[in-house]
Amino acid sequence: MSSKVINPCTRCGKERIEGKKWKEEVATFFGTSTIIHTDTVCPDKECQKIVEEKLEALKQKSDELKQEKQKKLDIATAARKAKALQNLKN
């Protein structure tokens, strides 16, 4: 009994195809494991370009949000340290 995996394009709904496949050797506690990576792409090249552009925009937005969050954490940490130093002086 075999089942077909359904992997539609997120934009147009066409069945995605295998685009790139590569192997990676990873050292583990018990030895070496081989991991096989497979990228699937939309068979429509124009659609795939649009999907990749949208994914890149989402990644950039996510990276910007992470940077803003880190800046806020850094400012909060600096403020706590300054307050602690002020309390020690008093």
Side-chain angles (χ1 to χ4, degrees), residues 29-70:
F29 182 73
F30 297 105
T32 304
S33 293
T34 301
I35 300 174
I36 300 172
H37 299 273
T38 305
D39 281 345
T40 56
V41 296
C42 181
D44 181 356
K45 292 183 187 258
E46 292 302 316
C47 180
Q48 183 63 31
K49 283 182 185 177
I50 294 169
V51 170
E52 288 174 357
E53 289 170 358
K54 287 183 179 182
L55 288 174
E56 183 61 31
L58 287 172
K59 184 179 181 308
Q60 286 178 350
K61 185 175 180 179
S62 176
D63 290 345
E64 290 171 2
L65 290 173
K66 285 179 186 177
Q67 289 175 351
E68 287 178 24
K69 183 176 179 179
Q70 187 60 45

